[in-house]
Amino acid sequence: MLRSHRFCLCVLCAVVASALAVAMLMLAPETSSAQPPTAAASPTVVAQAPKGPISFINQVAPIFKENCFSCHDAKKRKGKLDMTTIEAMLKGGENESDDSHILVNGKPDESDVYKRIVTTTARRMPPKDAGDPLPKDKMAIVEQWIKEGAKVDVDPKADLLRELRIRWKPPAPQVAYKFPVMIHSLAFTPDNAKLVVGGHHELTVWDVATGKLEKRIATRAERAKAMLFLPDGKLVVAGSRPGQEGDVRFYDINGGQPKVENDVAFVDGVNDPKVMLAQLVDTDDEVLCLALSPDGKRLAAGGCDRLVRVWDISEGVDKAKLEQTSENHADWVLGVVFAPDGKHMLTCSRDKTAKVWDLVAKESVLTFPDHQQSVYGVVVSPDSKVGFSVGEDGQLRRFNATGDGKGLGATAAHAKGALKIVMHPKQPIIATCGVDNTAKIWNTAGQATKTLTGHTDHVFSVAISPDATKVASGSYNGEVKIWNVADGKVLTAFNGSPGYTPPVPPKQ
Amino acid sequence: MNNRTTLFAVGVILFAARSLPAQAPDRVAELSVEPAAITLMHGDDRHHVLVSGKLADGSYRDLSRTVRYTSSNPAVAEVSLQGIVTPKSAGQAMIQVSAGDANASVTVTVKSAERRQVSFANDVMPILAKSGCNSGACHGAASGKKGFKISLRGYDPASDFKTLTRGTEGRRLNFNEADRSLFVLKPTGVVPHEGGKRFEYQSSYANVLKRWIAEGAGSDTTTAPRLTGIEVFPKLRSFPEPKLEQQLLVLARYSDGSVRDVTEDARYLSNNERAAEVDESGLVKMHDKGEAALMIRYGEMVAVSNLVIMKRDPAFAWSNPAENNTIDKLVNAKLKHMEILPSELTSDEEFVRRVYYDVIGIPPSPEECRAFTADKAVDKRAKLIDALLDRPEHADYWALKWGDLLKNRFDLLRDKGTWGMHRWVRDSIAANKRFDVFARELITADGSCAENPPANYWRVFTNPEDAAEATIQVFFGVRIMCAKCHDHPFEKWVQKDYYGVSAFFTQVGRKTGSRRDDMIIYRNEVAAQARHPTTGETLNPKFLDAGVVPIGAQDDGREKLAEWMTRKDNPVFAKATVNRLWSHLFGKGIIDPVDDIRSSNPPVNAPLLDALTKDFVDRDFDVRHILRTMLNSRTYQLAARINRFNQEDRQNFSHALPRRLTAEQLFDTVSQATGIRETFRGRIGNNGTVSMPNGGLRAGQLPDRQLTAEMLDLFGRPRGDSSCACERFDETSMTHALHLINGKSLSDRIASPGGKLARLLATPKITNEQVVEELYLLVLCRLPKAAEMELMLKYFESAGDRAKAAQDVMWVLFNKREFLFNY
């Protein structure tokens, strides 16, 4: 009896307790659970209806690219929607169904691709936290395009980013540089006489002995991120337009009919097939590094897409064959080099590792994680046994490149970041450069033999001449210096930005 | 043609409606313009004008968007329809403002209409902050985003400059085609950006970035005029009704004396979005009655605009309640202004229970209840307050509160240390030690912890950072821990402030004493200095919000700090302390939370806090005097019952806020009412044994935070893990509701043959009525109401077994909602 009575009270109490809980909630400090009333539709100028038939690729695709692709691309596929090809987009995403279509020809108000950009609800695209709604004139373009029947003037299977990219035209070369160009890469010609320097949408050729500008080769690429000469004298360039494209192209720097102005020869490396011989690849973002196998038959390139592509170029640059693709890093590939043994390739990455790749088995064999920060560059000893890497930690590290991958020692190379490392293919010389405004020459025991001082900003690039007597270095502010390996003295110095006059006094 | 067109048309109409004067201009009695004068330094400067109209009823409206603007000299300065002034050539002009018959004007001085070079520090960095680029969720995250990392909210401009220009091999800049730099293309979405489009490619922000690059992307982080402060208009304004709007104006001041309108670039946050919401352009929309503090952040500076939104109710009439002391005068002044009517005074029964719990932590006994209600003296409440403040339980109860904050913990301090610290605190309270002396003794304590118990503080906080955080939070009510790793998000505190304070504690040395479990605290004879973790700079000790004091090897950093903290003219120490005392008695601080004092968390009643602070200082930091003043105020003694005009008030102390009894209060009440005490275990984990005095302890007398008793933890007793008052939670949970309802320990205590109820029932000739009365007094400290008595007596009759019936009644009383609350 007592028990049942208590049970009764229990129920009562539970009621009291829940009422209490409600009361407590009501007493609790106000949380903004209720959304404030949304503001009245904001005043906007009425957009004029766009004129004439809409071109999908020229007018609509850029809107998709700028507002949709960062989430709805083939990799992220947010909401299971990929908009980077027409074919993929038409499949719709998880929000599309039998009653809800991504695109209904002629009917914008039944097409999600339009409805979602004009709605003022939380379903609006791009979402609120990613910015404001599309401007009205852009909405009108999409609307008009659908009304006109959503005609597509590209291959439905074509990657729209690429379609937009190939329609892009590089700017006309500038005569004199208003600002210095960052020197991302340098290459000595095989005869040691000239230095090729990456410019702004061009390559420039300078006389090593005098520092005189001799030739300018216009390029599609905004920047040359890596360069190397093939045994037959052709130049390979990893080109880039940051965030937008990357490529690998072959040039004949002596080809074409130069136009000479003020003693400088100009050639067209964009359109002239005698200058720009072939293109190997084009990518969505920068290609950052190149390597040639010691036998000259294979070429490798790595970049922001995390891939390292290896081509067989033994049949000539126009008959290059993609031989293998290594997807071995979790972030940008910053450096690549072939081991002289012909069987291995060393790579390094912003994923904070250097790795060794077996070219025969096509698999990763070891990972060197000691930098614990981005690894900017990697080379390997002539016996293929010792890897040398530099990175954001400022260290030059040596590691066992064949066996266990263990570290063999580290030397402070460039405080706050060692950016590049190169090694002569025959001579035991290594060169590095870094954010401490210096370049350094090293022996293969990992000892610095010369510190090359005189740059006034971060040194972005370094190269060794084929005869191993000279080192060239280039910096953020356009300075190029050519040094004598024997004594570390400057032989030639110039600014690699044609026509540029440095301000006096120099800006900070 | 379709919904969209309709919607659009509505939008246009609304816009048209908004562009008309919101109030009929003939009601505008007077116009005023802020700021008083405008100086434009260069061609890119823009300046808003803030126009306020005083209406016939004396209230103000923001008319910035509705008045007519004209420039006396458009060749010098132009003004847009929206009141934005732009420079045209050097010289002076007047901007005339008119609405109906009311006029006002502001002088504009144009120093130069030439464009100047874009400043990285003062133009580019604010864009990164305003656009959220350097927020914790984006590139300000500890590891950045997508390989791009900048300092959180821009605390390290020099490093951000390196990253933006030279990072990732200069990828973000394209000098020779500045407009095509990734640094412009990404935030504008031209190149797909996972963080979305932060601003348009043609916007003013994008144009600043383009220009900065086109001008060579230089850094002026060391040479640019330094931001010295920001000012917001209006700082304080009250509105007679909701549904109004107010534009804010934010001015930034620089070390070269220049002033800049940064309204568009500052960031805004409202502490009460229900009352007032603020958008990214500084436009405030008032939704409902209430008070809102709008925090404005620009660079590392913070400013606050306080807005009060009223809702006039014609039925409101001030009742002129009695005022016992200054507290009531100041509280009522605010209430009257806000049209809030305070509740009535507590009944004697309510008061006696409340004051016992608040002052000594245990309820009055039935005898004490009866004696107090029977007392006819007019000053009986004041007398009771005096008597309670003198009782030893007062020291017990408040030692417990301080033990929470000082982290008096057995695992850290062992038996002797825990007891030593507890007794020292308790004795200090019992003797009503001056609070400045109390703080000084603690902060400067040296020597053997066994001989000098406050030295145990340095055993609890074992490194300079922990000591700085705890000391500042406990005695200043300021949370500086955020600034350990980055600038404080809601305050001006930066890493220099944090490490400046911790530098005072770098001399503290600790070594093992000769006695078991003892430790010796001593001063290392080295200069007191700390290292800035980002810049590596060596920092001298710096008082919070005050000067730097180099402290050499021969000086004592802690002495210096304690001396400065407890000075009578220190603006924070006394204020934080009285605020903490207030919150203990009123359930909420005048600044709340009590240990989160910052300019963006203003007091709800500044004159009240100032008056109490002054009184505390004038009375030489006499804690008991302040408690007595608060307890004797009518405000303290107001009932929890609400009326039509204060039902929504939670912050102005117009009625008592019911508070859950603390774990110790609940526990000790159960023990006292049932007559069965808990025997606390003296052993804790593997840490050994705590000695217990003969006769045991009440829960409220336990010296440390870890002596376990299931019930105490269930009711939210803190673990003593931090110095934050927030650790003691007071929400009711289903767990402890069920514990009360079903808990065996409670029913066992009630039914115990040696308990109070058994003894009560054994009283000769005791009637059922007397039993019920006594049980009500024991558990709820009040007599039953007639209906309650009737119900209980009926139950006694129906139950048959008198003892069981009495047990059931007592159990029911423990489970009443009012038992759980101090109301």
Side-chain angles (χ1 to χ4, degrees):
Chain A
M1 153 137 190
L2 178 64
R3 185 176 288 248
S4 70
H5 187 81
R6 271 205 184 162
F7 177 73
C8 268
L9 280 171
C10 257
V11 174
L12 233 168
C13 288
V15 173
V16 170
S18 53
L20 176 62
V22 171
M24 288 304 291
L25 276 176
M26 286 162 60
L27 286 172
E30 296 301 338
T31 48
S32 57
S33 57
Q35 281 293 319
T38 42
S42 55
T44 332
V45 186
V46 182
Q48 292 238 316
K51 278 184 197 138
I54 301 280
S55 156
F56 171 74
I57 190 65
N58 292 324
Q59 290 173 274
V60 180
I63 297 174
F64 289 173
K65 175 193 158 195
E66 292 178 18
N67 297 285
C68 316
F69 285 6
S70 59
C71 299
H72 300 297
D73 68 356
K75 262 189 208 145
K76 279 187 223 90
R77 296 185 71 233
K78 220 167 189 179
K80 303 211 169 111
L81 177 64
D82 171 11
M83 296 176 68
T84 54
T85 71
I86 281 288
E87 193 178 77
M89 185 180 86
L90 290 177
K91 285 184 190 146
E94 63 189 5
N95 285 313
E96 276 69 46
S97 64
D98 290 345
D99 332 310
S100 169
H101 306 282
I102 190 85
L103 189 62
V104 180
N105 289 354
K107 295 182 176 166
D109 292 336
E110 292 175 25
S111 304
D112 279 354
V113 74
Y114 177 71
K115 279 158 64 188
R116 295 292 292 273
I117 61 175
V118 295
T119 180
T120 52
T121 67
R123 288 169 55 80
R124 193 256 288 169
M125 285 288 148
K128 195 166 179 245
D129 58 3
D132 292 332
L134 253 59
K136 290 270 193 280
D137 57 340
K138 302 256 165 92
M139 293 182 185
I141 288 172
V142 178
E143 184 185 20
Q144 179 77 13
W145 170 65
I146 300 175
K147 272 193 196 157
E148 288 172 6
K151 294 193 191 87
V152 173
D153 47 4
V154 285
D155 177 359
K157 287 186 181 4
D159 174 21
L160 297 175
L161 259 189
R162 184 168 184 278
E163 290 300 319
L164 288 171
R165 186 166 67 233
I166 58 181
R167 281 167 174 77
W168 179 84
K169 296 272 179 283
Q174 52 189 351
V175 181
Y177 283 46
K178 202 176 155 208
F179 289 98
V181 65
M182 302 173 196
I183 310 293
H184 296 290
S185 65
L186 304 154
F188 284 95
T189 52
D191 63 3
N192 301 296
K194 315 285 180 210
L195 185 71
V196 184
V197 175
H200 182 68
H201 286 292
E202 67 177 343
L203 305 170
T204 52
V205 184
W206 309 73
D207 185 79
V208 166
T210 63
K212 183 187 167 303
L213 175 63
E214 300 202 328
K215 189 176 246 183
R216 298 172 66 170
I217 305 158
T219 61
R220 175 184 167 88
E222 178 186 306
R223 307 176 189 216
K225 295 292 287 187
M227 287 193 275
L228 57 84
F229 275 97
L230 299 178
D232 65 0
K234 307 283 189 307
L235 178 67
V236 193
V237 180
S240 101
R241 188 152 57 99
Q244 303 182 80
E245 67 175 279
D247 62 22
V248 176
R249 285 167 200 250
F250 296 99
Y251 296 89
D252 178 354
I253 64 166
N254 298 314
Q257 287 298 318
K259 247 182 15 192
V260 179
E261 274 174 42
N262 297 328
D263 230 14
V264 178
F266 289 79
V267 292
D268 181 0
V270 180
N271 303 305
D272 187 343
K274 293 214 157 48
V275 182
M276 205 285 284
L277 305 171
Q279 177 178 1
L280 270 190
V281 68
D282 84 310
T283 54
D284 293 343
D285 203 342
E286 299 182 275
V287 175
L288 298 166
C289 51
L290 289 175
L292 186 67
S293 64
D295 61 8
K297 289 179 178 166
R298 280 165 159 167
L299 182 72
C304 298
D305 59 7
R306 305 185 290 110
L307 305 179
V308 180
R309 295 174 173 87
V310 180
W311 292 272
D312 177 351
I313 55 166
S314 55
E315 303 287 313
V317 297
D318 48 345
K319 297 195 186 78
K321 287 196 295 277
L322 183 64
E323 182 198 277
Q324 59 182 287
T325 301
S326 146
E327 187 167 0
N328 196 19
H329 283 289
D331 208 331
W332 296 359
V333 177
L334 303 173
V336 59
V337 67
F338 285 97
D341 66 9
K343 298 192 185 90
H344 295 97
M345 178 172 77
L346 284 76
T347 56
C348 65
S349 162
R350 203 163 75 167
D351 70 5
K352 307 181 183 178
T353 67
K355 289 183 182 240
V356 179
W357 178 263
D358 184 326
L359 289 161
V360 180
K362 298 182 181 171
E363 63 182 18
S364 186
V365 290
L366 69 85
T367 297
F368 177 64
D370 290 15
H371 284 281
Q372 312 225 338
Q373 294 192 61
S374 291
V375 187
Y376 291 135
V378 63
V379 294
V380 62
S381 64
D383 62 3
S384 301
K385 287 186 177 157
V386 181
F388 300 83
S389 56
V390 292
E392 197 178 357
D393 62 353
Q395 301 286 313
L396 170 64
R397 293 181 185 273
R398 290 178 299 128
F399 61 96
N400 190 340
T402 50
D404 54 8
K406 288 270 160 61
L408 301 171
T411 315
H414 300 276
K416 295 185 179 172
L419 297 174
K420 293 274 168 66
I421 183 166
V422 290
M423 187 173 200
H424 192 275
K426 305 264 159 45
Q427 306 290 325
I429 298 176
I430 293 172
T432 60
C433 62
V435 305
D436 61 353
N437 303 358
T438 71
K440 282 184 178 176
I441 301 175
W442 308 76
N443 62 25
T444 48
Q447 292 155 329
T449 56
K450 293 280 177 304
T451 297
L452 312 177
T453 57
H455 276 290
T456 58
D457 214 314
H458 296 193
V459 185
F460 277 2
S461 51
V462 65
I464 306 173
S465 66
D467 62 9
T469 62
K470 299 179 187 71
V471 163
S473 56
S475 63
Y476 172 81
N477 58 359
E479 291 169 345
V480 176
K481 292 182 194 294
I482 301 172
W483 315 78
N484 192 3
V485 169
D487 58 10
K489 294 235 165 74
V490 177
L491 290 170
T492 325
F494 52 90
N495 196 298
S497 325
Y500 170 70
T501 337
V504 183
K507 269 188 234 172
Q508 188 195 349
Chain B
M1 137 196 78
N2 53 28
N3 295 342
R4 223 165 49 80
T5 324
T6 323
L7 197 86
F8 202 75
V10 171
V12 171
I13 292 164
L14 283 175
F15 176 50
R18 210 175 89 170
S19 63
L20 292 170
Q23 290 80 31
D26 58 6
R27 286 178 57 206
V28 177
E30 201 179 303
L31 283 180
S32 58
V33 181
E34 279 162 319
I38 294 174
T39 304
L40 299 171
M41 303 298 288
H42 58 84
D44 293 310
D45 260 2
R46 298 285 174 276
H47 211 299
H48 292 74
V49 176
L50 205 60
V51 182
S52 305
K54 193 176 183 186
L55 304 193
D57 66 358
S59 68
Y60 287 91
R61 293 287 192 286
D62 177 13
L63 300 181
S64 306
R65 291 169 189 227
T66 61
V67 291
R68 273 192 310 283
Y69 296 96
T70 43
S71 168
S72 69
N73 190 352
V76 168
E78 279 184 355
V79 60
S80 73
L81 290 172
Q82 291 77 32
I84 296 167
V85 184
T86 47
K88 292 292 156 193
S89 64
Q92 277 212 338
M94 293 283 265
I95 302 297
Q96 313 279 355
V97 177
S98 61
D101 298 333
N103 292 292
S105 65
V106 54
T107 312
V108 177
T109 307
V110 177
K111 293 272 189 201
S112 160
E114 300 294 311
R115 289 192 138 182
R116 74 175 158 109
Q117 203 167 11
V118 172
S119 157
F120 178 74
N122 293 330
D123 297 325
V124 176
M125 287 298 291
I127 292 177
L128 300 183
K130 177 75 175 186
S131 309
C133 311
N134 55 23
S135 71
C138 295
H139 300 290
S143 54
K145 273 276 185 296
K146 295 272 168 185
F148 176 33
K149 174 182 166 25
I150 45 180
S151 64
L152 185 62
R153 286 180 288 271
Y155 68 83
D156 192 353
S159 146
D160 293 346
F161 171 73
K162 289 262 184 214
T163 305
L164 286 167
T165 55
R166 288 148 179 85
T168 327
E169 237 189 70
R171 163 182 158 96
R172 300 181 184 96
L173 302 186
N174 181 350
F175 288 116
N176 288 290
E177 285 172 285
D179 296 3
R180 308 305 295 167
S181 296
L182 208 54
F183 187 39
V184 178
L185 301 180
K186 273 278 181 181
T188 55
V190 176
V191 168
H193 179 216
E194 202 165 338
K197 182 182 284 191
R198 308 317 301 179
F199 39 84
E200 292 293 329
Y201 184 72
Q202 296 299 351
S203 64
S204 60
Y205 278 3
N207 291 339
V208 169
L209 301 187
K210 292 173 199 166
R211 265 179 64 201
W212 174 64
I213 300 163
E215 288 167 357
S219 168
D220 56 357
T221 53
T222 53
T223 54
R226 214 166 18 79
L227 181 67
T228 53
I230 62 171
E231 191 179 3
V232 60
F233 300 94
K235 289 178 193 64
L236 174 67
R237 180 156 289 180
S238 140
F239 298 88
E241 62 196 59
K243 311 294 172 211
L244 296 174
E245 291 183 356
Q246 172 69 52
Q247 174 66 49
L248 301 177
L249 173 69
V250 184
L251 300 185
R253 295 180 194 287
Y254 296 88
S255 53
D256 62 353
S258 64
V259 178
R260 187 164 160 189
D261 177 355
V262 295
T263 307
E264 294 288 331
D265 313 318
R267 284 166 296 151
Y268 302 88
L269 190 69
S270 166
N271 76 343
N272 184 358
E273 295 213 322
R274 213 173 63 103
E277 201 186 0
V278 58
D279 73 11
E280 282 298 293
S281 66
L283 179 67
V284 186
K285 293 191 167 136
M286 278 152 271
H287 298 306
D288 206 349
K289 179 174 173 171
E291 291 162 87
L294 307 169
M295 178 176 73
I296 295 100
R297 240 191 108 86
Y298 183 75
E300 60 193 45
M301 298 296 168
V302 176
V304 176
S305 171
N306 289 294
L307 302 186
V308 180
I309 302 119
M310 316 276 295
K311 196 151 66 181
R312 301 252 179 242
D313 184 336
F316 178 82
W318 183 245
S319 61
N320 279 316
E323 288 173 347
N324 294 355
N325 57 27
T326 317
I327 291 174
D328 299 329
K329 279 194 185 70
L330 295 170
V331 168
N332 286 347
K334 173 88 185 281
L335 294 179
K336 193 174 173 186
H337 175 72
M338 294 291 297
E339 300 197 347
I340 296 169
L341 203 58
S343 290
E344 64 200 3
L345 202 63
T346 44
S347 69
D348 281 349
E349 277 179 337
E350 287 163 350
F351 174 74
V352 70
R353 180 172 184 266
R354 182 189 298 172
V355 76
Y356 265 73
Y357 273 128
D358 281 341
V359 181
I360 65 173
I362 48 175
S365 68
E367 298 71 40
E368 287 166 326
C369 284
R370 287 198 170 100
F372 183 74
T373 43
D375 190 347
K376 294 279 180 278
V378 259
D379 61 347
K380 65 177 178 176
R381 293 195 176 190
K383 274 194 198 145
L384 177 62
I385 289 165
D386 285 343
L388 289 175
L389 285 171
D390 280 339
R391 278 178 57 164
E393 295 96 328
H394 170 64
D396 288 337
Y397 180 53
W398 287 72
L400 181 80
K401 286 178 179 284
W402 281 103
D404 284 358
L405 300 177
L406 302 178
K407 289 188 25 176
N408 194 11
R409 277 166 48 167
F410 179 73
D411 61 334
L412 301 175
L413 301 180
R414 303 289 149 157
D415 188 26
K416 280 203 182 67
T418 312
W419 273 112
M421 189 75 162
H422 179 74
R423 287 193 183 112
W424 176 77
V425 174
R426 196 196 165 283
D427 293 348
S428 299
I429 292 163
N432 194 26
K433 184 181 281 170
R434 285 173 61 133
F435 194 72
D436 57 336
V437 174
F438 175 81
R440 203 152 51 227
E441 286 180 2
L442 197 66
I443 293 166
T444 61
D446 259 343
S448 154
C449 291
E451 284 165 24
N452 185 22
N456 282 295
Y457 188 68
W458 303 103
R459 262 169 110 173
V460 174
F461 302 103
T462 51
N463 62 58
E465 288 83 25
D466 288 353
E469 288 176 19
T471 307
I472 294 299
Q473 188 164 13
V474 170
F475 293 108
F476 272 33
V478 171
R479 300 179 184 173
I480 57 166
M481 35 290 251
C482 300
K484 183 173 188 175
C485 307
H486 53 78
D487 293 359
H488 194 293
F490 304 125
E491 247 307 351
K492 57 189 169 184
W493 314 127
V494 297
Q495 281 179 300
K496 259 190 185 174
D497 294 304
Y498 180 95
Y499 290 95
V501 173
S502 70
F504 282 106
F505 303 117
T506 51
Q507 293 172 318
V508 179
R510 296 165 182 85
K511 61 187 176 196
T512 319
S514 52
R515 274 171 289 192
R516 190 162 168 264
D517 288 343
D518 191 13
M519 189 180 265
I520 313 292
I521 307 299
Y522 65 99
R523 184 170 66 83
N524 278 316
E525 296 198 353
V526 293
Q529 282 172 335
R531 196 181 149 273
H532 192 298
T534 313
T535 64
E537 187 186 351
T538 300
L539 299 173
N540 278 320
K542 180 178 179 300
F543 298 130
L544 195 66
D545 211 14
V548 173
V549 269
I551 289 170
Q554 297 315 307
D555 301 323
D556 187 333
R558 289 186 290 152
E559 287 279 356
K560 282 259 163 45
L561 179 69
E563 189 274 325
W564 172 79
M565 278 176 68
T566 57
R567 264 162 49 178
K568 286 196 166 184
D569 60 356
N570 185 302
V572 195
F573 177 75
K575 183 185 277 190
T577 307
V578 291
N579 188 49
R580 205 181 269 282
L581 296 175
W582 178 279
S583 122
H584 283 315
L585 297 181
F586 290 83
K588 201 169 174 153
I590 302 170
I591 297 173
D592 199 78
V594 292
D595 49 12
D596 196 10
I597 296 178
R598 51 190 153 86
S599 55
S600 46
N601 182 22
V604 292
N605 190 333
L608 172 64
L609 185 55
D610 291 346
L612 289 167
T613 304
K614 183 171 184 306
D615 193 25
F616 188 46
V617 172
D618 288 349
R619 297 293 292 253
D620 293 332
F621 304 98
D622 181 344
V623 173
R624 207 169 286 179
H625 163 75
I626 290 294
L627 290 177
R628 186 179 291 117
T629 309
M630 290 176 183
L631 292 164
N632 277 301
S633 71
R634 186 182 167 93
T635 304
Y636 173 77
Q637 298 177 15
L638 291 178
R641 285 179 297 283
I642 48 180
N643 60 51
R644 174 179 158 190
F645 299 103
N646 73 357
Q647 56 189 356
E648 281 161 22
D649 176 48
R650 289 273 306 159
Q651 52 187 17
N652 287 298
F653 311 106
S654 64
H655 57 85
L657 299 170
R659 287 162 281 150
R660 242 262 342 268
L661 293 181
T662 64
E664 291 87 351
Q665 286 172 336
L666 280 172
F667 203 91
D668 286 339
T669 306
V670 170
S671 299
Q672 182 172 316
T674 58
I676 306 294
R677 301 182 67 163
E678 174 79 15
T679 311
F680 289 99
R681 292 189 294 279
R683 189 173 175 78
I684 301 174
N686 297 323
N687 290 323
T689 309
V690 186
S691 52
M692 286 289 171
N694 287 335
L697 294 170
R698 283 189 294 110
Q701 292 172 317
L702 293 172
D704 110 325
R705 312 290 96 221
Q706 290 170 318
L707 288 166
T708 51
E710 188 188 8
M711 202 169 179
L712 287 181
D713 289 333
L714 278 177
F715 286 116
R717 184 179 67 163
R719 307 285 313 173
D721 289 337
S722 78
S723 302
C724 181
C726 56
E727 203 182 293
R728 187 175 274 278
F729 72 89
D730 51 8
E731 281 86 32
T732 43
S733 74
M734 198 43 91
T735 329
H736 67 240
L738 289 172
H739 190 84
L740 273 180
I741 295 164
N742 299 322
K744 191 162 151 28
S745 62
L746 179 64
S747 37
D748 284 356
R749 278 186 167 84
I750 294 171
S752 169
K756 209 163 239 175
L757 181 55
R759 276 180 280 143
L760 183 68
L761 292 170
T763 315
K765 290 187 195 163
I766 192 162
T767 64
N768 286 349
E769 202 165 345
Q770 284 169 317
V771 170
V772 172
E773 257 187 27
E774 195 68 12
L775 288 177
Y776 265 82
L777 286 171
L778 277 170
V779 180
L780 303 176
C781 312
R782 66 170 173 90
L783 290 170
K785 293 178 193 122
E788 288 172 326
M789 179 58 91
E790 197 183 328
L791 187 73
M792 293 301 167
L793 290 179
K794 232 182 241 169
Y795 179 64
F796 264 79
E797 280 155 26
S798 70
D801 183 335
R802 189 189 195 204
K804 285 242 156 61
Q807 288 166 15
D808 286 351
V809 168
M810 191 173 204
W811 184 87
V812 166
L813 296 181
F814 276 124
N815 281 291
K816 276 181 80 78
R817 170 190 173 179
E818 63 174 287
F819 168 70
L820 278 178
F821 285 85
N822 181 0
Y823 57 90

